[in-house]
């Protein structure tokens, strides 16, 4: 996949008006993501994405404290100011869902395993909560 093709996917998925807008969103989300994905997953992600995307990812210094999903979206909003929180969430989810579709389920699950709970929806995945111990579902009538 080329950078241009990735930008086009973001433009289509996010319903952006121009390549410039899609590229701006893509760059901001990848830059923030680069600080949160580390180790082998970061290297593999950079390898599977176009070179321009890989550079954005690996240029970031890893964060020292985990950031919640809303905190992640907030960082994207700050990078893309003046976006509203809803627009930032849309931008974040658009990019992460397209990236997840490109890199595959295995890597996406490993990335999610390294992030705090709550990121799955941003990647277009469902995050099921484990059942409480000792609780049973009532039998169907």
């Amino acid at each position: 996949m080329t950078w241009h093709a990735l930008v086009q996917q973001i433009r289509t998925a996010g319903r952006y008006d121009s390549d410039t807008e899609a590229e701006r969103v893509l760059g901001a989300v990848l830059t923030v993501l680069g600080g949160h994905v580390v180790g082998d997953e970061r290297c593999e992600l950079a390898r599977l994405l176009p070179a321009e995307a890989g550079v954005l990812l690996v240029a970031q210094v890893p964060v020292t404290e985990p950031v919640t999903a809303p905190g992640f979206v907030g960082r994207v909003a700050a990078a893309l100011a003046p976006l509203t929180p809803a627009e930032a969430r849309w931008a974040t989810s658009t990019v992460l869902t397209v990236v997840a579709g490109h890199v595959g389920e295995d890597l996406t699950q490993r990335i999610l395993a390294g992030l705090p709970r709550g990121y799955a929806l941003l990647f277009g995945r469902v995050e099921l909560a484990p059942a409480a111990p000792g609780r049973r579902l009532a039998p169907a009538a």
Side-chain angles (χ1 to χ4, degrees), residues 62-118:
V63 296
T64 56
E65 294 291 324
V67 175
T68 65
F72 185 95
V73 172
R75 289 178 181 202
V76 170
L80 293 171
L83 255 59
T84 67
E87 291 168 329
R89 184 178 163 98
W90 175 263
T92 301
S93 185
T94 296
V95 171
L96 295 181
T97 298
V98 168
V99 165
H102 180 69
V103 302
E105 192 63 29
D106 177 62
L107 179 56
T108 299
Q109 288 303 324
R110 288 187 287 131
I111 290 170
L112 286 170
L115 297 170
R117 286 186 58 83

Coordinates of all heavy atoms in Angstrom, one line a residue, residues 62-118:
P62 N 8.1 7.1 23.3 CA 7.0 6.4 24.0 C 6.6 7.1 25.3 O 7.4 7.7 26.0 CB 7.6 5.0 24.3 CG 8.7 4.8 23.3 CD 9.2 6.2 23.1
V63 N 5.3 7.1 25.5 CA 4.8 7.8 26.7 C 5.2 7.0 27.9 O 5.4 5.7 27.9 CB 3.2 7.9 26.7 CG1 2.8 8.8 25.6 CG2 2.6 6.6 26.6
T64 N 5.4 7.6 29.1 CA 5.8 6.9 30.3 C 4.6 6.4 31.1 O 4.8 5.6 31.9 CB 6.7 7.9 31.1 OG1 6.0 9.1 31.4 CG2 8.0 8.2 30.4
E65 N 3.5 7.0 30.9 CA 2.3 6.6 31.6 C 1.2 6.3 30.6 O 1.0 7.0 29.7 CB 1.8 7.7 32.5 CG 2.7 8.1 33.7 CD 2.8 7.0 34.7 OE1 1.7 6.3 35.0 OE2 3.9 6.8 35.3
P66 N 0.4 5.2 30.8 CA -0.6 4.8 29.9 C -1.7 5.9 29.9 O -2.0 6.6 30.9 CB -1.2 3.6 30.5 CG -0.3 3.1 31.5 CD 0.6 4.2 31.9
V67 N -2.3 6.1 28.7 CA -3.3 7.2 28.5 C -4.6 6.5 28.2 O -4.6 5.5 27.4 CB -2.9 8.1 27.4 CG1 -4.0 9.1 27.1 CG2 -1.6 8.8 27.7
T68 N -5.7 6.9 28.8 CA -7.0 6.3 28.5 C -7.4 6.6 27.1 O -6.8 7.5 26.5 CB -8.0 6.9 29.5 OG1 -8.2 8.3 29.2 CG2 -7.7 6.6 30.9
A69 N -8.3 5.9 26.6 CA -8.8 6.1 25.2 C -9.4 7.6 25.1 O -9.0 8.3 24.1 CB -9.9 5.1 24.8
P70 N -10.1 8.1 26.1 CA -10.6 9.5 25.9 C -9.4 10.5 26.0 O -9.4 11.5 25.3 CB -11.5 9.7 27.2 CG -12.0 8.4 27.5 CD -10.9 7.4 27.2
G71 N -8.3 10.1 26.7 CA -7.1 11.0 26.8 C -6.4 10.9 25.4 O -5.9 12.0 25.0
F72 N -6.4 9.8 24.8 CA -5.8 9.6 23.5 C -6.5 10.5 22.5 O -5.9 11.3 21.7 CB -5.9 8.2 23.0 CG -5.2 7.9 21.7 CD1 -3.9 7.4 21.7 CD2 -5.8 8.0 20.5 CE1 -3.2 7.1 20.5 CE2 -5.2 7.8 19.3 CZ -3.9 7.3 19.3
V73 N -7.9 10.5 22.5 CA -8.7 11.3 21.6 C -8.4 12.8 21.9 O -8.4 13.6 21.0 CB -10.2 10.9 21.7 CG1 -11.1 11.9 21.0 CG2 -10.4 9.5 21.2
G74 N -8.3 13.1 23.2 CA -8.0 14.5 23.5 C -6.7 15.0 22.9 O -6.5 16.1 22.5
R75 N -5.7 14.1 22.9 CA -4.4 14.4 22.3 C -4.5 14.6 20.8 O -3.9 15.5 20.2 CB -3.3 13.4 22.6 CG -2.9 13.4 24.1 CD -1.9 12.4 24.5 NE -1.7 12.5 25.9 CZ -0.6 12.0 26.4 NH1 0.3 11.4 25.7 NH2 -0.4 12.2 27.8
V76 N -5.3 13.8 20.2 CA -5.6 14.0 18.7 C -6.3 15.3 18.5 O -6.0 16.1 17.6 CB -6.4 12.8 18.2 CG1 -6.9 13.1 16.7 CG2 -5.6 11.5 18.2
A77 N -7.3 15.6 19.4 CA -8.0 16.9 19.3 C -7.1 18.1 19.4 O -7.2 19.1 18.6 CB -9.1 17.0 20.3
A78 N -6.1 18.0 20.3 CA -5.2 19.1 20.5 C -4.3 19.2 19.2 O -4.0 20.4 18.8 CB -4.3 18.9 21.7
A79 N -3.9 18.1 18.6 CA -3.1 18.2 17.4 C -3.8 18.7 16.2 O -3.2 19.3 15.3 CB -2.5 16.8 17.1
L80 N -5.2 18.5 16.2 CA -6.0 18.9 15.1 C -6.9 20.2 15.4 O -7.8 20.4 14.7 CB -6.9 17.8 14.6 CG -6.1 16.6 14.0 CD1 -7.1 15.4 13.8 CD2 -5.5 17.0 12.7
A81 N -6.5 20.9 16.5 CA -7.3 22.0 16.9 C -7.7 22.9 15.7 O -6.8 23.0 14.8 CB -6.6 22.8 17.9
P82 N -8.9 23.4 15.6 CA -9.9 23.4 16.6 C -11.0 22.4 16.4 O -12.2 22.7 16.2 CB -10.5 24.8 16.4 CG -10.4 25.0 14.9 CD -9.2 24.3 14.5
L83 N -10.7 21.1 16.5 CA -11.7 20.1 16.4 C -12.5 19.9 17.7 O -12.0 20.1 18.8 CB -11.1 18.7 16.2 CG -11.2 18.1 14.7 CD1 -10.5 19.1 13.8 CD2 -10.5 16.8 14.7
T84 N -13.8 19.6 17.6 CA -14.6 19.3 18.7 C -14.2 17.9 19.2 O -13.6 17.1 18.4 CB -16.1 19.3 18.4 OG1 -16.4 18.2 17.5 CG2 -16.5 20.6 17.8
P85 N -14.6 17.5 20.4 CA -14.3 16.2 20.9 C -14.9 15.1 20.0 O -14.3 14.1 19.7 CB -14.9 16.1 22.3 CG -14.8 17.6 22.8 CD -15.0 18.4 21.5
A86 N -16.1 15.4 19.5 CA -16.8 14.4 18.6 C -16.1 14.3 17.3 O -15.9 13.2 16.8 CB -18.3 14.8 18.4
E87 N -15.6 15.4 16.8 CA -14.8 15.3 15.5 C -13.5 14.6 15.7 O -13.1 13.8 14.8 CB -14.6 16.7 15.0 CG -15.8 17.4 14.5 CD -15.6 18.9 14.2 OE1 -14.8 19.6 14.9 OE2 -16.3 19.4 13.3
A88 N -12.9 14.8 16.8 CA -11.6 14.2 17.1 C -11.8 12.7 17.3 O -11.0 11.9 16.8 CB -11.0 14.7 18.4
R89 N -12.9 12.3 17.9 CA -13.2 10.8 18.1 C -13.4 10.2 16.7 O -13.0 9.1 16.4 CB -14.4 10.7 19.0 CG -14.7 9.2 19.3 CD -15.9 9.1 20.2 NE -16.4 7.8 20.2 CZ -16.1 6.8 21.1 NH1 -15.3 7.1 22.1 NH2 -16.7 5.6 20.9
W90 N -14.2 10.9 15.9 CA -14.4 10.4 14.5 C -13.1 10.3 13.7 O -12.9 9.2 13.1 CB -15.4 11.4 13.8 CG -15.6 11.0 12.3 CD1 -14.9 11.5 11.2 CD2 -16.5 10.1 11.8 NE1 -15.4 11.0 10.1 CE2 -16.4 10.1 10.4 CE3 -17.5 9.2 12.4 CZ2 -17.2 9.2 9.6 CZ3 -18.2 8.4 11.6 CH2 -18.1 8.4 10.2
A91 N -12.3 11.3 13.8 CA -11.0 11.2 13.1 C -10.1 10.1 13.6 O -9.6 9.3 12.8 CB -10.2 12.5 13.3
T92 N -10.1 9.9 14.9 CA -9.3 8.9 15.5 C -9.8 7.5 15.1 O -9.0 6.6 14.7 CB -9.3 9.0 17.1 OG1 -8.8 10.3 17.4 CG2 -8.4 7.9 17.8
S93 N -11.1 7.3 15.3 CA -11.7 6.0 14.9 C -11.5 5.7 13.4 O -11.3 4.5 13.1 CB -13.1 6.0 15.4 OG -13.7 4.7 15.1
T94 N -11.7 6.7 12.6 CA -11.5 6.5 11.2 C -10.1 5.9 10.9 O -10.0 4.9 10.2 CB -11.8 7.8 10.4 OG1 -13.1 8.2 10.6 CG2 -11.5 7.6 8.9
V95 N -9.1 6.6 11.4 CA -7.7 6.2 11.1 C -7.4 4.9 11.7 O -6.9 4.0 11.0 CB -6.7 7.3 11.6 CG1 -5.3 6.8 11.5 CG2 -6.9 8.6 10.8
L96 N -7.8 4.7 12.9 CA -7.4 3.4 13.6 C -8.2 2.2 13.0 O -7.6 1.1 12.9 CB -7.6 3.5 15.1 CG -6.7 4.5 15.8 CD1 -7.0 4.5 17.3 CD2 -5.2 4.3 15.5
T97 N -9.4 2.4 12.6 CA -10.1 1.3 12.0 C -9.5 1.0 10.6 O -9.4 -0.2 10.3 CB -11.6 1.7 11.8 OG1 -12.2 2.0 13.1 CG2 -12.4 0.6 11.1
V98 N -9.2 1.9 9.8 CA -8.5 1.7 8.5 C -7.2 1.0 8.7 O -6.9 0.0 8.1 CB -8.4 3.0 7.7 CG1 -7.5 2.7 6.5 CG2 -9.8 3.5 7.2
V99 N -6.4 1.5 9.7 CA -5.1 0.9 10.0 C -5.3 -0.6 10.4 O -4.6 -1.5 10.0 CB -4.3 1.7 11.0 CG1 -3.1 0.9 11.6 CG2 -3.8 3.0 10.4
A100 N -6.2 -0.8 11.3 CA -6.5 -2.2 11.8 C -6.9 -3.1 10.7 O -6.4 -4.3 10.6 CB -7.6 -2.2 12.9
G101 N -7.7 -2.6 9.8 CA -8.1 -3.4 8.6 C -6.9 -3.8 7.7 O -6.9 -4.8 7.1
H102 N -6.0 -2.9 7.7 CA -4.8 -3.1 6.8 C -3.8 -4.0 7.4 O -3.2 -4.9 6.8 CB -4.1 -1.8 6.5 CG -2.9 -1.9 5.6 ND1 -3.0 -2.3 4.3 CD2 -1.6 -1.7 5.9 CE1 -1.8 -2.3 3.8 NE2 -0.9 -2.0 4.8
V103 N -3.6 -3.9 8.7 CA -2.5 -4.7 9.4 C -3.0 -6.1 9.9 O -2.2 -6.9 10.2 CB -1.8 -3.9 10.5 CG1 -1.2 -2.6 10.0 CG2 -2.7 -3.7 11.7
G104 N -4.3 -6.3 9.9 CA -4.8 -7.6 10.3 C -5.2 -7.7 11.8 O -4.8 -7.0 12.6
E105 N -6.0 -8.8 12.0 CA -6.5 -9.0 13.3 C -5.5 -9.4 14.4 O -5.5 -8.9 15.5 CB -7.6 -10.1 13.2 CG -8.4 -10.3 14.5 CD -9.3 -9.1 14.8 OE1 -9.7 -8.3 13.9 OE2 -9.6 -8.8 16.0
D106 N -4.5 -10.2 14.0 CA -3.5 -10.6 15.0 C -2.7 -9.4 15.5 O -2.6 -9.2 16.8 CB -2.5 -11.6 14.3 CG -1.4 -12.0 15.3 OD1 -1.7 -12.6 16.4 OD2 -0.2 -11.7 15.0
L107 N -2.2 -8.5 14.7 CA -1.4 -7.4 15.1 C -2.4 -6.4 15.9 O -2.0 -5.9 16.9 CB -0.7 -6.7 14.0 CG 0.1 -5.4 14.4 CD1 1.1 -5.7 15.5 CD2 0.8 -4.8 13.2
T108 N -3.6 -6.2 15.4 CA -4.5 -5.3 16.0 C -4.8 -5.8 17.5 O -4.7 -5.0 18.4 CB -5.8 -5.2 15.3 OG1 -5.5 -4.7 14.0 CG2 -6.8 -4.3 16.0
Q109 N -5.0 -7.1 17.7 CA -5.2 -7.6 19.0 C -4.0 -7.4 19.9 O -4.1 -7.1 21.1 CB -5.6 -9.1 18.9 CG -7.0 -9.3 18.4 CD -8.1 -8.6 19.2 OE1 -8.0 -8.4 20.4 NE2 -9.1 -8.0 18.4
R110 N -2.8 -7.6 19.4 CA -1.6 -7.4 20.2 C -1.4 -6.0 20.5 O -1.0 -5.7 21.6 CB -0.4 -8.0 19.4 CG -0.4 -9.5 19.4 CD 0.9 -10.1 18.8 NE 1.0 -9.9 17.4 CZ 2.0 -9.4 16.7 NH1 3.1 -9.0 17.4 NH2 2.0 -9.2 15.4
I111 N -1.7 -5.1 19.6 CA -1.7 -3.6 19.9 C -2.7 -3.3 21.1 O -2.3 -2.6 22.0 CB -1.9 -2.8 18.7 CG1 -0.8 -2.9 17.7 CG2 -2.2 -1.3 19.1 CD1 -1.0 -2.3 16.4
L112 N -3.9 -3.8 20.9 CA -4.9 -3.5 21.9 C -4.5 -4.1 23.3 O -4.8 -3.5 24.3 CB -6.3 -4.1 21.5 CG -7.0 -3.3 20.4 CD1 -8.2 -4.0 19.8 CD2 -7.4 -1.9 20.9
A113 N -3.9 -5.3 23.3 CA -3.4 -5.9 24.5 C -2.4 -5.0 25.3 O -2.3 -5.1 26.5 CB -2.8 -7.3 24.3
G114 N -1.7 -4.2 24.5 CA -0.7 -3.3 25.2 C -1.3 -1.9 25.6 O -0.5 -1.1 26.1
L115 N -2.5 -1.7 25.3 CA -3.1 -0.4 25.6 C -4.1 -0.6 26.7 O -4.7 -1.7 26.9 CB -3.9 0.2 24.4 CG -3.0 0.5 23.2 CD1 -3.9 0.8 21.9 CD2 -2.1 1.7 23.5
P116 N -4.5 0.4 27.5 CA -5.5 0.3 28.5 C -6.8 -0.1 27.9 O -7.1 0.2 26.7 CB -5.5 1.7 29.1 CG -4.3 2.4 28.8 CD -3.9 1.8 27.5
R117 N -7.7 -0.6 28.7 CA -9.1 -1.0 28.3 C -9.7 0.3 27.7 O -9.5 1.4 28.2 CB -9.9 -1.5 29.4 CG -9.5 -2.9 29.8 CD -10.4 -3.5 30.9 NE -11.8 -3.6 30.4 CZ -12.4 -4.5 29.7 NH1 -11.6 -5.5 29.2 NH2 -13.7 -4.5 29.4
G118 N -10.6 0.1 26.7 CA -11.3 1.2 26.2 C -10.9 1.6 24.8 O -11.6 2.4 24.2

